[in-house]
Amino acid sequence: QSVFVVSPVVPSTTIVVAPPSPTLTVGASSVVSLTINNTGSGAVTGPLTLTISVPAGMTATQLPPGWTVVGTTPGPGGSTILV
């Protein structure tokens, strides 16, 4: 007698954000590297959403091709940027 086991096909996405280099300073540029992995058994479909909080007086510029800023919410300690 044969037994068939069907495993679900699901994505498993992780996003790792590296510390800014050089350290964030108002008026200077820094680079923040993102590593996005899918270790699941299925493809990721649809857009990924990432929320970044930056200190007061700073903004996110020069996003990679295909990335867009969806919204920015200013706060007392800085801004939250949805990309």
Side-chain angles (χ1 to χ4, degrees), residues 2 15 20 25-27 35 37 40 43 53 65 75:
S2 296
I15 301 174
T25 305
V26 175
T35 303
N37 290 307
S53 296

Side-chain angles (χ1 to χ4, degrees), residues 7 11 13-14 21-22 24 26 28 35-36 39 42 46-48 55 57 60-61 63-64 69-71 77 81:
S7 298
T13 307
T14 58
S21 177
L24 292 174
V26 175
T35 303
I36 303 171
T39 58
L48 294 174
T61 59
L63 296 174
V69 174
V70 177
I81 302 166

Side-chain angles (χ1 to χ4, degrees), residues 17-25 28-34 52 59 61-62 64:
V17 181
S21 177
T23 302
L24 292 174
T25 305
S29 295
S30 291
V31 174
V32 177
S33 297
L34 305 174
I52 302 169
T59 58
T61 59
Q62 298 179 347

Side-chain angles (χ1 to χ4, degrees), residues 51-82:
T51 302
I52 302 169
S53 296
V54 296
M58 298 185 180
T59 58
T61 59
Q62 298 179 347
L63 296 174
W67 289 57
T68 57
V69 174
V70 177
T72 301
T73 307
S79 297
T80 300
I81 302 166
L82 182 63

